[in-house]
Amino acid sequence: MGKLDLVTIIIIATNVIISYKGFGDYSFFEKYKFNVGAVKRGEQIRLFSSGFLHADNAHLFFNMFALYLFSGQVIYEVGKFNFLIIYFGSLLAGSLLSLYFHKNEYHYSAVGASGAVTGILYSAILLNPERLYYFLFLPPRIGSVDLGIPGYILGIGYLLYSIYGMKNRIGNIGHDAHFGGAVGGYIITLVLSPWLFKTNLLMIGLLALPIVLLYVLKKMGKI
């Protein structure tokens, strides 16, 4: 992946600074977290500001670690400016999908960069779907067996799990923000890199399947 890009360093540093401000300042945290009632009252800044707040150190670490892992691939393929478009576009997409699914739950609140990071993850997978990804803390192979998972399998599996999590309200996790971020990363990457339609059309179709499934389930009232 090479050295950590300055753009990624700035985003990580901003997340750390703002998150720690939120850890120690309850009023600041409450003012800028995602909250359906507040957004509907006109505080749209929360759609973005909530993406720089985190619930605790673990939440912050795993989001930033994932960003570190996948940002280099996206920056290499599309450039720094387009990377920022994907990051903030995915953040907004995640917040908007959360707003859509919880529009009648005025108390619903959320924080975290997960939508933006998931968008970057999905963008990286779309740009290089055959790349193998490995589980943290596990060896890359056991004997002759490679434990890597192709990116497109990881992407499809992740979104299917997000749909399952949304449907069953699993854990204190913003599955809808994750899904919205992935959709944002998917769409924006295709807009910025139309050459993918010539080189990876089959993968584009496969990675779209969970998105279509979510749309159908929503129309059927299953979610």
Side-chain angles (χ1 to χ4, degrees), residues 154-219:
L154 178 64
I156 292 171
Y158 184 85
L159 288 197
L160 289 176
Y161 173 72
S162 293
I163 292 175
Y164 178 75
M166 291 160 66
K167 181 177 174 59
N168 296 281
R169 300 289 183 107
I170 294 176
N172 188 27
I173 300 172
H175 296 285
D176 34 35
H178 294 182
F179 195 99
V183 173
Y186 176 84
I187 293 174
I188 297 169
T189 300
L190 289 178
V191 170
L192 296 175
S193 306
W195 52 267
L196 288 169
F197 286 100
K198 294 182 179 179
T199 60
N200 288 330
L201 186 59
L202 175 60
M203 292 302 174
I204 289 172
L206 287 175
L207 290 168
L209 290 177
I211 300 172
V212 174
L213 176 60
L214 177 66
Y215 176 80
V216 172
L217 290 175
K218 183 62 176 175
K219 283 293 184 181

Side-chain angles (χ1 to χ4, degrees), residues 6 8 15 44 73 81 83 86-87 104 109 122 147 178:
L6 179 61
T8 305
N15 270 277
Q44 278 82 18
Q73 173 74 36
F81 182 74
F83 167 82
I86 295 170
Y87 184 89
N104 297 319
S109 298
Y122 219 68
L147 298 182
H178 294 182

Side-chain angles (χ1 to χ4, degrees), residues 9-24:
I9 293 172
I10 292 173
I11 291 177
I12 291 175
T14 303
N15 270 277
V16 170
I17 292 169
I18 295 177
S19 291
Y20 270 87
K21 169 67 173 174
F23 293 161

